[in-house]
């Protein structure tokens, strides 16, 4: 290689890179059309040598020196030409992928983000029908949204571009590509976390129409998307293959419940929120933190459990309030649309989570006695404790609200099914007292009617409950 031909401190050749960029320009010029062309005279497939070379550039672009070289030679502009003219999905995917790598470096990210034309063209890529291109576009967007200096530029751009909502909902509700769903979920999670106004717009959306992806070039209108069913559909797809993905979608639902409009969007769906409740209920009662898991599992699942219980808690409080309002207005017992109020398996699962947390607490206490950890280790443990404390608080709040609603019939059913016994009730009381004294007291009265002996035994352990 000639002296001075190396890119920065790398072994890569400037001359070689430049020749690839030149060939890229040729590929998208119709006058240089090659045998693999579509009727319009534009290539639909890359020849093997070109694909291999441009994939090498994709790998190399993870190096900052190479990324800066590409930036210097206006690679982003060349890629814009590719997006505008290429009919070759693989070429589009690779070019978006290279931009995604380049955006990992702050200065380049700022330059890409400030280019209004490029920004618009990249958002249009979300309406692509090619999954690999969608994946790379989502990765690029997430990279930009994760850079505090430019995140607001993208939030603003997305807010002003209604088709992004449609494209994202279309992907969440119809894609079966788990990797793509996880990445799109991360983008939505980040957007909602960064900007409550955008989240509110998306919650209210689905009423105004905009043009979305055209499948097979048919300009048909997309279905009238609502955000909650789309999130649920994606969560069901990722649930068994990808625990991290499930965590992301549960966190999006939790973010929705931080605003009243979000809770309403969940509980006022045509099915009254049944589908959301069923999915979350199924996860808590049949998948996460199960009786045959070791207690330490609660450490591993603490963030996803906290999100799920937080949504269940918001739904429960909202539905309970709605039912009481209806009953007060009508003085009649209405058909109870609140399909979840008195659910013993869920109460059993909440108590199990608290029991497992006690188990974990004892373990970490033993460990800290055994050895004095280093400062860094201790910081980690404090963060662990913080997340567990959040989970415990959410769990206790939901449990106390549910116990307060129990009737004698429900309680007998819980005793019969084994969800309620001296051990589980003790665990519940231990965690709920003294903060939730009123709830425990009201449940204890019902328990006394259902099983006097059990109530007497518990009263000995918790004297504050004595009448």
């Amino acid at each position: 290689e000639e002296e001075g031909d190396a890119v920065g401190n790398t072994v890569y050749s400037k001359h070689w890179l430049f020749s690839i960029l030149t060939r890229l320009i040729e590929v998208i010029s119709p006058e240089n059309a090659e045998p693999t062309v579509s009727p319009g005279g534009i290539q639909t497939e890359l020849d093997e040598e070109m694909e291999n070379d441009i994939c090498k550039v994709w790998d190399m672009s993870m190096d900052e020196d190479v990324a800066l070289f590409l930036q210097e030679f206006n690679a982003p502009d060349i890629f814009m030409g590719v997006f505008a003219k290429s009919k070759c999905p693989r070429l589009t995917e690779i070019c978006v992928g290279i931009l995604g790598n380049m955006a990992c470096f702050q200065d380049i990210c700022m330059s890409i983000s400030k280019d209004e034309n490029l920004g618009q063209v990249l958002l249009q890529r979300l309406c692509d029908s090619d999954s690999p291109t969608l994946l790379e576009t989502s990765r690029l967007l997430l990279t930009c949204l994760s850079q505090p200096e430019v995140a607001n530029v993208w939030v603003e751009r997305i807010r002003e571009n209604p088709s992004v909502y449609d494209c994202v909902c279309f992907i969440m509700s119809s894609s079966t590509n788990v990797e793509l769903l996880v990445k799109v979920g991360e983008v939505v999670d980040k957007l909602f976390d960064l900007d409550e106004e955008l989240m509110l717009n998306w919650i209210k959306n689905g009423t105004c129409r905009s043009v979305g992806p055209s499948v097979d070039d048919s300009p048909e209108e997309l279905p009238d998307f609502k955000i909650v069913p789309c999130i649920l559909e994606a969560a069901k797809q990722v649930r068994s293959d990808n625990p991290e993905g499930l965590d992301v979608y549960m966190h999006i639902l939790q973010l929705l419940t931080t605003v009243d409009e979000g809770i309403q969007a969940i509980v006022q769906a045509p099915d009254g929120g049944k589908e959301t409740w069923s999915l979350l209920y199924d996860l808590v009662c049949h998948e996460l933190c199960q009786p045959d898991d070791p207690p330490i599992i609660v450490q591993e699942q603490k963030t996803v459990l906290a999100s799920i219980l937080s949504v269940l808690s918001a739904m429960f409080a909202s539905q309970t309030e709605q039912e009481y309002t209806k009953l007060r207005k009508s003085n009649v017992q209405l058909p109870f649309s609140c399909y979840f109020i008195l659910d013993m398996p869920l109460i059993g699962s909440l108590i199990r989570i608290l029991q497992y947390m006690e188990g974990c607490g004892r373990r970490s206490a033993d460990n800290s006695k055994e050895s004095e950890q280093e400062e860094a280790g201790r910081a980690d443990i404090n963060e662990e404790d913080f997340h567990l404390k959040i989970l415990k608080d959410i769990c206790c709040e939901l449990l106390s609200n549910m116990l307060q609603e129990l009737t004698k019939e429900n309680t007998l059913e819980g005793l019969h099914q084994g969800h309620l016994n001296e051990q589980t009730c003790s665990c519940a009381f231990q965690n709920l007292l003294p903060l939730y004294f009123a709830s425990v007291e009201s449940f204890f009265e019902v328990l006394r009617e259902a099983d006097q002996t059990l109530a007497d035994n518990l009263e000995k352990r918790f004297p504050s409950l004595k009448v």
Side-chain angles (χ1 to χ4, degrees):
E1 253 165 51
E2 302 159 34
E3 193 65 35
D5 183 46
V7 176
N9 295 318
T10 70
V11 293
Y12 306 127
S13 152
K14 287 181 187 171
H15 180 76
W16 182 82
L17 265 171
F18 198 68
S19 73
I20 302 299
L21 291 178
T22 312
R23 275 168 63 200
L24 252 187
I25 296 170
E26 288 167 5
V27 166
I28 54 174
S29 310
E31 59 271 21
N32 298 310
E34 308 214 353
T36 45
V37 291
S38 69
I42 306 278
Q43 274 190 256
T44 51
E45 303 216 352
L46 275 176
D47 66 68
E48 201 177 331
E49 187 194 351
M50 181 68 191
E51 183 169 346
N52 288 339
D53 284 345
I54 194 166
C55 279
K56 280 182 198 154
V57 177
W58 192 0
D59 288 341
M60 290 157 60
S61 62
M62 285 192 272
D63 184 292
E64 189 168 8
D65 287 332
V66 173
L68 287 165
F69 176 85
L70 291 170
Q71 170 81 356
E72 199 181 320
F73 282 97
N74 292 338
D77 288 349
I78 297 171
F79 297 154
M80 263 178 68
V82 171
F83 303 148
K85 296 181 185 169
S86 167
K87 291 275 190 286
C88 170
R90 177 70 173 142
L91 181 60
T92 305
E93 174 207 349
I94 296 168
C95 292
V96 180
I98 295 171
L99 272 177
N101 284 350
M102 291 169 67
C104 294
F105 306 104
Q106 193 182 340
D107 290 349
I108 301 178
C109 187
M110 286 181 81
S111 150
I112 288 173
S113 300
K114 284 179 180 153
D115 184 332
E116 192 51 42
N117 288 339
L118 183 56
Q120 293 299 341
V121 167
L122 286 169
L123 289 185
Q124 283 163 14
R125 295 269 66 79
L126 281 174
C127 296
D128 211 296
S129 55
D130 178 60
S131 286
T133 300
L134 289 170
L135 177 63
E136 290 311 318
T137 307
S138 306
R139 189 171 73 89
L140 170 60
L141 280 177
L142 189 63
T143 302
C144 295
L145 288 167
S146 303
Q147 299 253 11
E149 304 76 20
V150 298
N152 59 335
V153 176
W154 286 99
V155 168
E156 194 59 41
R157 195 173 276 150
I158 289 166
R159 210 191 292 146
E160 287 166 5
N161 197 323
S163 69
V164 173
Y165 170 85
D166 276 339
C167 298
V168 165
C169 283
F170 183 71
I171 294 166
M172 291 195 297
S173 60
S174 61
S175 176
T176 53
N177 181 324
V178 169
E179 199 183 352
L180 170 59
L181 287 170
V182 173
K183 198 54 73 183
V184 165
E186 287 175 344
V187 170
V188 174
D189 192 36
K190 192 76 184 161
L191 280 170
F192 286 4
D193 213 11
L194 286 167
D195 194 77
E196 190 174 287
E197 190 192 330
L198 181 131
M199 180 169 80
L200 284 166
N201 289 347
W202 281 25
I203 291 167
K204 294 170 190 159
N205 216 325
T207 43
C208 59
R209 286 293 3 100
S210 48
V211 182
S214 58
V215 183
D216 306 329
D217 296 328
S218 60
E220 281 172 34
E221 277 209 342
L222 284 170
D224 194 6
F225 285 120
K226 297 269 190 246
I227 191 81
V228 175
C230 297
I231 293 168
L232 291 180
E233 200 47 55
K236 287 183 209 159
Q237 278 291 338
V238 302
R239 131 184 214 181
S240 47
D241 297 330
N242 196 301
E244 291 77 20
L246 184 65
D247 207 337
V248 170
Y249 280 99
M250 293 302 108
H251 191 251
I252 297 173
L253 279 178
Q254 184 186 356
L255 285 173
L256 290 183
T257 65
T258 59
V259 294
D260 197 44
E261 292 86 342
I263 298 175
Q264 296 313 314
I266 293 172
V267 297
Q268 290 179 356
D271 64 356
K274 228 174 233 173
E275 201 186 339
T276 307
W277 184 273
S278 304
L279 174 65
L280 303 187
Y281 172 88
D282 199 33
L283 287 166
V284 175
C285 295
H286 303 126
E287 261 181 50
L288 300 167
C289 204
Q290 290 303 290
D292 50 358
D293 287 327
I296 196 77
I297 195 78
V298 83
Q299 283 277 21
E300 200 180 298
Q301 297 173 349
K302 57 188 178 290
T303 55
V304 71
L305 280 168
S307 294
I308 292 172
L309 298 185
S310 187
V311 178
L312 289 174
S313 195
M315 289 181 77
F316 188 85
S318 163
Q319 283 294 73
T320 311
E321 191 183 311
Q322 282 178 27
E323 292 306 326
Y324 285 152
T325 313
K326 274 189 212 165
L327 292 174
R328 271 206 307 275
K329 280 182 187 159
S330 62
N331 295 322
V332 204
Q333 180 63 60
L334 294 165
F336 213 41
S337 72
C338 211
Y339 33 86
F340 48 72
I341 276 248
L342 309 160
D343 206 302
M344 295 319 304
L346 183 54
I347 287 174
S349 295
L350 294 174
I351 296 174
R352 180 165 61 248
I353 291 168
L354 291 171
Q355 286 174 318
Y356 281 10
M357 286 171 84
E358 284 176 357
C360 283
R362 279 196 295 276
R363 248 192 59 160
S364 61
D366 294 346
N367 288 350
S368 61
K369 278 178 205 149
E370 280 168 30
S371 68
E372 272 300 312
Q373 264 112 353
E374 298 148 31
E375 281 305 311
R378 205 171 293 132
D380 283 350
I381 279 179
N382 288 342
E383 195 176 330
E384 290 271 277
D385 288 350
F386 173 70
H387 285 295
L388 281 173
K389 183 180 180 327
I390 289 175
L391 174 59
K392 181 179 171 178
D393 291 349
I394 295 168
C395 194
C396 286
E397 186 185 357
L398 178 54
L399 181 60
S400 78
N401 285 338
M402 293 189 87
L403 288 180
Q404 202 160 355
E405 299 294 331
L406 290 182
T407 61
K408 181 181 173 184
E409 288 68 34
N410 307 130
T411 306
L412 284 167
E413 183 193 344
L415 291 164
H416 176 66
Q417 291 171 351
H419 298 300
L420 296 178
N421 54 42
E422 190 169 341
Q423 191 190 4
T424 57
C425 290
S426 293
C427 173
F429 293 178
Q430 189 80 47
N431 283 285
L432 295 177
L433 292 171
L435 187 59
Y436 295 103
F437 183 79
S439 296
V440 173
E441 191 178 38
S442 104
F443 167 64
F444 192 67
E445 288 309 307
V446 174
L447 187 64
R448 195 189 295 283
E449 287 177 44
D451 188 333
Q452 182 68 51
T453 313
L454 174 57
D456 290 346
N457 291 344
L458 286 165
E459 203 175 60
K460 287 176 195 144
R461 298 180 67 167
F462 300 93
S464 64
L465 294 172
K466 279 200 168 72
V467 178

